[in-house]
Amino acid sequence: MSRIDGRTPDQLRPVSIERGWSKHAEGSVLVSFGDTRVLCTASVTEGVPRWRKGSGEGWVTAEYAMLPRATNTRGDRESVRGKIGGRTHEISRLIGRSLRAVIDYKALGENTIVLDCDVLQADGGTRTAAITGAYVALADAVEWARAKKLIKASRQPLTGTVAAVSVGIIDGVPMLDLAYEEDVRAETDMNVVCTGDGRFVEVQGTAEGEPFARDELNALLDLAVAGCGSLAGMQRAALGAED
Amino acid sequence: MSRIDGRTPDQLRPVSIERGWSKHAEGSVLVSFGDTRVLCTASVTEGVPRWRKGSGEGWVTAEYAMLPRATNTRGDRESVRGKIGGRTHEISRLIGRSLRAVIDYKALGENTIVLDCDVLQADGGTRTAAITGAYVALADAVEWARAKKLIKASRQPLTGTVAAVSVGIIDGVPMLDLAYEEDVRAETDMNVVCTGDGRFVEVQGTAEGEPFARDELNALLDLAVAGCGSLAGMQRAALGAED
Amino acid sequence: MSRIDGRTPDQLRPVSIERGWSKHAEGSVLVSFGDTRVLCTASVTEGVPRWRKGSGEGWVTAEYAMLPRATNTRGDRESVRGKIGGRTHEISRLIGRSLRAVIDYKALGENTIVLDCDVLQADGGTRTAAITGAYVALADAVEWARAKKLIKASRQPLTGTVAAVSVGIIDGVPMLDLAYEEDVRAETDMNVVCTGDGRFVEVQGTAEGEPFARDELNALLDLAVAGCGSLAGMQRAALGAED
Amino acid sequence: MSRIDGRTPDQLRPVSIERGWSKHAEGSVLVSFGDTRVLCTASVTEGVPRWRKGSGEGWVTAEYAMLPRATNTRGDRESVRGKIGGRTHEISRLIGRSLRAVIDYKALGENTIVLDCDVLQADGGTRTAAITGAYVALADAVEWARAKKLIKASRQPLTGTVAAVSVGIIDGVPMLDLAYEEDVRAETDMNVVCTGDGRFVEVQGTAEGEPFARDELNALLDLAVAGCGSLAGMQRAALGAED
Amino acid sequence: MSRIDGRTPDQLRPVSIERGWSKHAEGSVLVSFGDTRVLCTASVTEGVPRWRKGSGEGWVTAEYAMLPRATNTRGDRESVRGKIGGRTHEISRLIGRSLRAVIDYKALGENTIVLDCDVLQADGGTRTAAITGAYVALADAVEWARAKKLIKASRQPLTGTVAAVSVGIIDGVPMLDLAYEEDVRAETDMNVVCTGDGRFVEVQGTAEGEPFARDELNALLDLAVAGCGSLAGMQRAALGAED
Amino acid sequence: MSRIDGRTPDQLRPVSIERGWSKHAEGSVLVSFGDTRVLCTASVTEGVPRWRKGSGEGWVTAEYAMLPRATNTRGDRESVRGKIGGRTHEISRLIGRSLRAVIDYKALGENTIVLDCDVLQADGGTRTAAITGAYVALADAVEWARAKKLIKASRQPLTGTVAAVSVGIIDGVPMLDLAYEEDVRAETDMNVVCTGDGRFVEVQGTAEGEPFARDELNALLDLAVAGCGSLAGMQRAALGAED
């Protein structure tokens, strides 16, 4: 069983996590999962949205977007169309929830961190690459805020790490980290977000063709947990590189 | 372990499926899961969207919305704000995908069916009630189209039935079909869409607080599969009532 | 002279006013004029819009909308189109003005009541049914606010009752409370809003075909005043039912 | 009983109708009712909106707007806010209906005439001035189209003339053609659109304070019919001036 | 070398500057450059936008728009389309910058002046006519504010005068103040904004066809400086007329 | 006279032009002017906009945007705000006009090329970097189209090269290619677009503080022409690298 690019079914594409890509942002990462490239920046501001003021708690949110020619055929800009599409909304919300799962709002204090995940080139798995990269940018932004005393040095707002990967069934075979061509052919497509200790933050499985059975679901979850574990290691390596 | 409303953890709320609620629509259902009430209408039109013309295949899509005072405090109308929120987009897309999972586009022919799911009163589980009710409205619309010869009588566009239910973990206990107050307290929240034969169309689990472990996920899936099975029975009963 | 549904020219369709339809809203009514069904909810909030703050006076406003398949052919959602149409605006404003005509802002105090009138099924006369039902929801919301002490018990913000009906000329004959098919055929179409004591709050007459003469206008006004009188009686009966 | 500007209750403000104000439009009129000044242009194009194609019938529509500083305090531009307000929608629709009341669509043929009514300075009665001026611009545009053979010379799309005036009750006295300061003080406010032969096209009466009685309505209608009669004379004079 | 309308290459079209055109605005000018007619109003309000509060400095901004039938063929209203086009944005920004170039923010104090420039009829050079007219409206508004003591009489917020003119190359000949037909044929088109002492505020040159050489640019600048000088004289004359 | 970064007044920042940055686009360039980094992609599609169909001529257009954290403080996404700002519109139009100046529409045939210029990191001169990089992407896209026979090999749609640079006066000294900090301090700011043969396509000069004199304008133009000449050399080098 050979994949388009020669990988084994349980193999990730080459992953790179390049920190400090942008000079302005408090945290910034250019993450690649194969040919998928996402620029993740973390912006820290003092204060929180109105509905949270006076709570002593912080906030973390995310926005995802694609450059118009990140894909094989050019897509219209959402700014030009004047509205954000459902897919963009859905992924932005997923990224935000995933990162908030490892945030201690009290320790963050009344600070807001916005993660912008802009897809520069798309080849499948943009949302999982975005989550994986955004976590690293978030970690850098948190350190920046602690260094700047926005967050007390004695507090650690991060309660763990988070990474994500896609899995799917193609011609009956469960596979890890689908490239675009594989994604198109998949009968079932699942995105799984795990913490570094192997528990689940999000599980989103969709039958694109035939409904899937319980044992297929189990096989996909096995693959995804292993894949997220590998990614967690790469995140640790990337963050350790500078220390 | 007693729930707010006295149910056992594996018990659905009272469900009602009232067909033919609207005189205009080709299929219409007022579905209730406890105090959650959703009006589902199916509108059939000849022809398909431009990108599908000439394919010989049909299309099914869905739009979900809440009346402003369906909830405990009034929400702004999305029409007045001029944009659709992320949650609305996400649920509309989920309903559409769920119904398309049991549609044979070829058998449907170049016809379009739009499912409108408007929440008249919300008390948790609006998306799962919407999917469950919309399937019944869709089935009525398909019969209408066959009777009108828009679809050949020899063809059956429905390949199965589909229903959905929410499950969640509250104070460590997995529970079925959460009411709003339960949903707010849940540590983990999952929506599961199954076909009548017990396979999965969608699995969407989210850790609201702590990440969840594999065995918790398994327990939730067990509950959900059983709940969807019960709902499938009620759908059959509702559709059989008239025959 | 027999009408489509066998009514006499001066006869209303069967009217029903069902209070307490929604568990969340402070007042809620499902009103029917024949096959026209409108869900009217009244939402009370403390405080007033910015331009009215510190005046000691309250505010009442209304929003009208149609579900997409309330009508014979499905209409696009205004939230999806991103803008509210002229007709919707016009009717929302009419309902708001009609209800404010029987409100004593001082007695209401700095509270706001929003009336949402959502047409679940349309068969002509949706705006007049909305006004007639919204008045009853408003009366319930006012009582709720007095019971909650948002409004002093010694004050009565309602200065009277208000109801509305359509009239029109079909084949030269003035008729009361037009159903959709009649409305389409009417040469002249008028909506009249009256207080319970028979005076006018709004008179909106439009020549759809030929301009209309003064005596035709007079005949229409006679019919409308009588129809509003009947509706005022039904409103009183509905509100009295619980006392 | 003396009015702000010394008029008698049944007296119009000075009215001027200046044809040919714009060099580009097929018909153009700068109309003044006292200090209210509205620029009305009529634009003729061959063809009709899609829903009317192949019918052999034409279409007439109108758009109304105010310059931001037409009023005493500057209003935000609707183009900047990105949406059209309810009042603007309502008046645009009123003007369109009023003009269509004197159009024979068949005689117009598949041509479209758009009336743009832009208020350069507002002092009450902008919609009635707009209707009165737009009729004259429309008449010029129709003549232009006949001269250009877009409309057969043997056909006359205009079936009559149309003019409009406001009336209201101030301190209990019915008055004609309210200036802004009077309009603000009026208990009842009515806009009446009549054809040149004294019949009604639109009657829109609103109780701003107290509901109004039948005899008050009658007195207002008397005043309005007389006022429209005077305006019809001025329209004829303006159109005859050049012939 | 004769121009369409018989002018010499270095000749302006007939210019008129009519002050006090509107009764509501603090400054208002109807300016004409040939058949181009722009209504410029200046609206003074106390206070400044949020980002400038507490600075002790004022603000001046501008909005430009065209009536739909200002041009030869009717354009859609930007309010109806729900968005402002790039050209409108660009010109509004140009007018604002041009006027701010002669404003001393400190002397203005925390007051805001908005210039609305609405093109009633277009025949080329609408932005340059707008700047030239808006300056005069601004001067009147400043005097109004000084008379009202919003601005201290001892302070003069205006540091000079500003006017603008278009120039272009047609069939190789540099020409001043292009009418629409000339503008369409121009190979190069430039708008130049000068202060009354002959210095530049804005220079915007665009090659419509062939790129332009340095000596052509110089010839255009010579023409424009002279043209702006003439316009400055007319502005002074207009402002002096009343004193 | 030493600049922030040690450059001489007539010195460009380090420039890099990296072709083939994206695997999907027909032409793609990551261009840097110092810390300013812009991703320029060229997308070729057969066919032209509706208004150009049947003309035998092609079309070239551009869209410019900034990632939210390209700048020092995060800006709101235009897609989220639902409208495009004036600055974005203005720069998109400038880029489009600049590239069209070197296009022979006939030779291009009925093909459309869209240039997307997305600023990944901003440090002044984003529009000039965008034009300079977009030209190279355009050249690659044209070659791609010729290779694919969308354009006849015997035809060359490019009539020359185009590059752009900013110049400004800081503390009285004219300087080339301003970085952001310099731009903020500049009294006069000019963007100049030149063809490879040293002629002008666009000249846009703005007095940010004091108006500027003719000799200052001349000094700025001298600098800009030389700077564009250097950039043209780098474009040639970049395009030659692969041949």
Side-chain angles (χ1 to χ4, degrees), chain B residues 21-26 35 37 39 41-43 63 65 67-72 74 77-80 82 84 114 116-118 120-123, chain C residues 21-26 35 37 39 41-43 63 65 67-72 74 77-80 82 84 114 116-118 120-123:
Chain B
W21 201 84
S22 157
K23 79 172 199 179
H24 296 302
E26 286 75 39
D35 281 334
R37 269 185 241 171
L39 177 56
T41 59
S43 299
E63 291 185 4
L67 292 199
R69 195 57 199 278
T71 46
N72 195 43
R74 185 178 182 274
R77 282 176 195 270
E78 294 183 319
S79 59
V80 170
I84 290 180
V114 180
D116 285 290
C117 301
D118 286 90
L120 305 187
Q121 188 167 277
D123 187 30
Chain C
W21 202 84
S22 157
K23 81 173 200 179
H24 297 302
E26 286 75 38
D35 281 334
R37 273 186 238 170
L39 177 56
T41 60
S43 299
E63 290 184 6
L67 294 198
R69 196 55 200 279
T71 46
N72 196 45
R74 184 177 183 273
R77 283 178 194 269
E78 294 183 320
S79 58
V80 171
I84 290 181
V114 179
D116 284 291
C117 300
D118 286 89
L120 305 186
Q121 187 167 278
D123 187 30

Side-chain angles (χ1 to χ4, degrees), chain A residues 50-66:
Chain A
R50 187 183 317 204
W51 50 271
R52 216 171 170 85
K53 273 188 185 148
S55 66
E57 302 194 340
W59 187 239
V60 171
T61 187
E63 290 185 6
Y64 165 97
M66 275 213 193

